[in-house]
Amino acid sequence: MNNYDFPSFDKKVIDLILNNKHALIIGHKKPDGDCFSSQISLKYLLEQLNYETVVMANEGPFERAESKAVEHLFEREITDDILSNNPILFLVDCGELSRIGSLSHKVKDLTTIVIDHHQTSLNVGWQYSYIFTNSISTTQLIQKLYNDLNIKISEEIAQNLFFGFATDSGFFKFISKYNGNAIKMAGELVEKGADPRLTFSMMSGGRSFDYVKNLSKLIDRTVFVCNNQVATSTFYLSDEYESPSDSYYAQLLSVENVKAIILFKEVENNKVELGLRANYDCSFDMSKFAAIFGGGGHIKASGATIEGSIDEVKTKVIETIEKLFTC
């Protein structure tokens, strides 16, 4: 077994899944493609196991263009009626209750199964979990569950699983050498009807012209630090429309000598989100850097939310990266 071969689900996790009939599936707030695709695919799996109720919930907001089409499938609040059957809670694409936002206070006492690929989830100590940090996406963990339970993957679910994989892999850009298993699993989904061309169009198309103009603003605001190896930019509250963060990361990481990016996004007065990205050949661990500010994620892609004015946060974060950054 190499580092990218998926272990089997623990028997106690499988038994817990098979011996229940009510489920609540929650992903992290501000869901990306991997998060909501994992939730949808897991819901279908549980329905094939004859679960009587399966509810998907997510605080949102559903900001990304690709997430708006599925927003209506998710509950935004946890009601007493949802909890009346004492459902199993599935946390997908996250392993900390803090990452599901305001929903956490209603579900903290439920029996919980975590399915995730983020390094920070290993620190929580869940009794029931399937956490494999070498997986490129959480949807591939859900795909593994389908295979372990011998449940047929329909064409619709193959498309969902492939979409989550494609978004978290940057459409194959972030797959490391020796990780042929990730490509093999993606190929299995294509054979079941997943459409790579449609997926790429969903990921890259349908942007408004305002999105492109905002990308231009972010590029114009770019400031380089750490001997020009780290690019930083800022998205303000006064900026309208969707933040073109993914496009900004792609453009700036293509610039010669740029190894990492810090994107500051002002989400409300005295609250700033950090988007952190590192190039494939950069050894700096963005998840550890994010943890300094209460965040987390992956080595190459992480984030955090910090209290404070935009100027205060920028000063603090840039001073910290200048002390620590090596690549």
Side-chain angles (χ1 to χ4, degrees):
M1 173 174 165
N2 69 34
N3 290 336
Y4 297 103
D5 288 338
F6 286 47
S8 296
F9 273 73
D10 192 296
K11 183 179 183 300
K12 67 181 182 182
V13 174
I14 295 296
D15 288 344
L16 187 60
I17 293 172
L18 294 179
N19 291 320
N20 280 275
K21 292 298 178 185
H22 304 280
L24 173 59
I25 306 170
I26 301 181
H28 59 76
K29 56 187 178 181
K30 296 193 175 181
D32 55 14
D34 188 34
C35 179
F36 69 72
S37 296
S38 295
Q39 289 185 258
I40 292 169
S41 300
L42 180 57
K43 180 178 188 290
Y44 181 85
L45 180 149
L46 297 176
E47 289 173 344
Q48 300 315 295
L49 293 174
N50 296 315
Y51 268 55
E52 295 173 17
T53 59
V54 183
V55 175
M56 297 187 299
N58 197 298
E59 181 186 271
F62 289 74
E63 295 180 330
R64 297 169 182 261
E66 62 269 21
S67 71
K68 295 184 185 300
V70 298
E71 181 177 2
H72 67 284
L73 300 175
F74 295 86
E75 299 293 332
R76 305 297 286 274
E77 297 180 355
I78 306 299
T79 64
D80 291 339
D81 184 57
I82 291 173
L83 299 175
S84 63
N85 292 310
N86 192 31
I88 294 291
L89 171 63
F90 289 86
L91 283 184
V92 298
D93 205 35
C94 63
E96 305 99 330
L97 287 174
S98 61
R99 293 200 65 205
I100 66 174
S102 61
L103 305 183
S104 61
H105 72 281
K106 294 291 290 284
V107 301
K108 57 186 176 63
D109 295 326
L110 295 177
T111 300
T112 301
I113 298 174
V114 172
I115 303 176
D116 189 27
H117 68 141
H118 293 96
Q119 187 75 30
T120 47
S121 293
L122 294 172
N123 303 327
V124 181
W126 293 100
Q127 182 179 1
Y128 302 102
S129 66
Y130 185 73
I131 302 169
F132 185 55
T133 59
N134 282 342
S135 175
I136 199 73
S137 68
T138 296
T139 48
Q140 290 211 322
L141 305 184
I142 303 296
Q143 185 177 350
K144 172 64 174 171
L145 182 58
Y146 269 88
N147 292 338
D148 281 4
L149 293 175
N150 197 30
I151 294 177
K152 181 180 179 181
I153 296 176
S154 68
E155 182 172 320
E156 179 183 359
I157 294 304
Q159 179 61 43
N160 265 292
L161 292 169
F162 188 85
F163 185 81
F165 156 80
T167 55
D168 254 30
S169 71
F171 212 81
F172 295 86
K173 285 190 299 185
F174 306 140
I175 298 176
S176 304
K177 62 181 180 180
Y178 308 122
N179 192 3
N181 193 44
I183 297 175
K184 178 183 176 182
M185 292 180 71
E188 291 172 356
L189 297 175
V190 173
E191 290 179 351
K192 295 179 185 299
D195 188 339
R197 292 177 298 182
L198 172 63
T199 301
F200 186 79
S201 175
M202 292 169 64
M203 290 173 59
S204 60
R207 306 296 188 189
S208 68
F209 186 56
D210 291 307
Y211 177 96
V212 178
K213 288 193 289 186
N214 275 339
L215 176 59
S216 176
K217 289 181 183 178
L218 288 182
I219 293 172
D220 285 343
R221 294 170 184 164
T222 298
V223 175
F224 295 96
V225 298
C226 301
N227 295 319
N228 294 326
Q229 290 186 304
V230 179
T232 73
S233 191
T234 308
F235 193 82
Y236 294 100
L237 266 178
S238 57
D239 292 325
E240 297 181 4
Y241 310 108
E242 180 184 0
S243 169
S245 53
D246 290 339
S247 297
Y248 179 76
Y249 299 141
Q251 291 296 320
L252 268 292
L253 286 176
S254 71
V255 174
E256 185 179 12
N257 296 324
V258 171
K259 300 297 184 182
I261 293 174
I262 302 175
L263 180 59
F264 300 93
K265 182 181 179 183
E266 190 177 27
V267 290
E268 56 185 74
N269 288 326
N270 293 315
K271 183 175 287 188
V272 179
E273 288 182 353
L274 295 187
L276 306 169
R277 296 295 185 271
N279 226 332
Y280 77 96
D281 60 349
C282 179
S283 60
F284 190 75
D285 190 333
M286 281 300 190
S287 67
K288 291 182 179 178
F289 185 72
I292 296 172
F293 305 101
H298 301 290
I299 292 174
K300 304 295 184 188
S302 291
T305 301
I306 305 177
E307 301 285 342
S309 72
I310 186 69
D311 291 335
E312 291 170 344
V313 171
K314 288 172 68 173
T315 298
K316 178 171 29 175
V317 172
I318 290 173
E319 286 179 352
T320 305
I321 194 77
E322 288 182 325
K323 291 176 183 176
L324 299 178
F325 188 77
T326 57
C327 192

